[in-house]
């Protein structure tokens, strides 16, 4: 059965655009329904000394909604955890499990739980959220006895497949050449995060080109792929 529903769970507003916007744009084009779940409120991501966390949270939610709209993402759920302080708690696992059970995705896209020396990609929040998402797909969303308080509203759900964002030695390289401009348009919505968008665009295109090169794609995004046993 083809993938019909996709859920992207990330730590911060803008993470899904960096890691998966091209792949998301292709799923949208194929008629899939996409849900974004953003775990933290993004309240720390500013170097502007006159910025307050309260203002930043509102700006970043708006930017994320605009980016989602640019891609054709159906909905964005914000879980509101504190940026930079997310921990692998029962509460986090219950909240992510609830969203998986609510929207019932065939495919979940998440961040890598592994530390690497790419410090930006393996930000502490990314690792913790990525690890929690894997735990929620299996076994927490599947098992009716996990989080009994979610029943009867949120019935167990089996995700079929997971894409874990992967920048080094990926198992799956997705050709995003014909949606690269859409990815850049979505990324540009996160204006609060970039002083110099032209410089950022050059770096993002360079990295996407490097990921695609071994396969002969102009631009790519890359993942490890986990297929769940039925
Ligand atoms: Zn991030």
């Amino acid at each position: 059965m083809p993938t019909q529903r996709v859920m992207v769970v990330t730590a911060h507003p803008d993470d899904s655009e960096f890691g998966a916007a091209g792949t998301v744009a292709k799923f949208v084009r194929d008629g899939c329904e996409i849900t974004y779940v953003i775990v933290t409120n993004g309240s720390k991501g500013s170097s502007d000394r006159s910025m307050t966390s309260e203002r930043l949270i509102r700006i970043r939610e708006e930017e994320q909604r605009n980016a989602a709209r640019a891609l054709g993402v159906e909905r964005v759920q914000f879980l509101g955890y504190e940026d930079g302080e997310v921990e692998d708690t029962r509460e986090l696992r219950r909240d992510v499990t609830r969203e998986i059970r609510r929207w019932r995705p065939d495919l979940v896209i998440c961040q890598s739980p592994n530390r690497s020396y790419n410090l930006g990609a393996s930000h502490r929040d990314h690792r913790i959220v990525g690890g929690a998402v894997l735990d929620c797909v299996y076994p927490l969303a599947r098992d009716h006895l996990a989080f009994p308080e979610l029943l009867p509203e949120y019935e167990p759900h089996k995700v079929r497949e997971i894409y874990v964002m992967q920048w080094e030695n990926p198992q799956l390289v997705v050709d995003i050449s014909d949606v690269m401009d859409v990815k850049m348009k979505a990324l540009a919505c996160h204006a609060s995060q970039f002083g110099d968008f032209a410089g950022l665009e050059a770096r993002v295109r360079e990295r996407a080109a490097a990921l695609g090169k071994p396969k002969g794609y102009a631009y790519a995004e890359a993942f490890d792929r986990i297929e769940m046993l039925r």
Side-chain angles (χ1 to χ4, degrees):
M1 230 189 23
T3 298
Q4 292 175 323
R5 287 183 303 276
V6 178
M7 175 178 283
V8 187
V9 189
T10 54
H12 309 116
D14 84 10
D15 289 341
S16 44
E17 276 66 50
F18 275 112
T23 305
V24 164
K26 287 181 77 172
F27 277 119
V28 169
R29 202 174 57 189
D30 291 345
C32 294
E33 176 195 300
I34 320 279
T35 301
Y36 271 8
V37 176
I38 314 292
V39 171
T40 79
N41 57 20
S43 66
K44 304 292 198 300
S46 177
S47 55
D48 173 358
R49 297 298 292 265
S50 68
M51 179 60 77
T52 64
S53 279
E54 291 68 34
R55 253 178 72 215
L56 188 59
I57 291 168
R58 285 198 305 277
I59 290 170
R60 297 199 70 185
E61 281 196 4
E62 183 64 22
E63 289 175 344
Q64 184 62 80
R65 287 188 206 285
N66 290 339
R69 208 170 294 127
L71 293 168
V73 169
E74 187 101 356
R75 63 184 69 84
V76 186
Q77 307 259 173
F78 297 96
L79 298 187
Y81 283 76
E82 190 59 31
D83 188 358
E85 298 183 17
V86 66
E87 296 292 348
D88 186 357
T89 59
R90 183 184 192 280
E91 186 192 8
L92 174 66
R93 294 189 298 273
R94 185 202 57 212
D95 286 353
V96 173
T97 295
R98 184 191 63 230
E99 297 311 315
I100 292 172
R101 290 186 184 188
R102 187 200 310 264
W103 300 111
R104 314 186 80 72
D106 305 307
L107 167 69
V108 168
I109 301 177
C110 66
Q111 292 167 296
S112 171
N114 299 327
R115 157 63 83 196
S116 77
Y117 295 146
N118 179 339
L119 299 193
S122 71
H123 185 294
R124 175 182 172 76
D125 290 349
H126 299 184
R127 294 178 342 247
I128 289 169
V129 169
V133 172
L134 297 179
D135 289 331
C136 293
V137 168
Y138 176 88
L140 300 171
R142 186 199 66 171
D143 290 347
H144 75 280
L145 293 174
F147 305 123
E149 69 269 36
L150 293 179
L151 292 177
E153 198 173 351
Y154 305 103
E155 280 289 319
H157 175 68
K158 284 184 187 171
V159 172
R160 298 204 316 236
E161 196 179 9
I162 311 170
Y163 289 0
V164 181
M165 294 177 195
Q166 184 56 263
W167 308 96
E168 291 146 26
N169 306 315
Q171 298 169 356
L172 175 69
V173 178
V174 176
D175 183 0
I176 61 161
S177 307
D178 60 350
V179 287
M180 189 63 194
D181 291 344
V182 184
K183 176 182 172 102
M184 292 315 311
K185 218 172 108 188
L187 256 178
C189 294
H190 298 281
S192 72
Q193 300 303 295
F194 320 122
D196 166 24
F197 189 71
L200 175 96
E201 171 156 16
R203 287 196 302 281
V204 168
R205 284 186 182 270
E206 201 174 303
R207 192 164 51 186
L211 288 172
K213 196 160 186 245
K215 295 275 186 188
Y217 306 150
Y219 297 112
E221 287 169 347
F223 307 90
D224 282 342
R225 177 169 179 266
I226 304 169
E227 215 176 340
M228 303 300 292
L229 296 173
R230 303 297 285 161

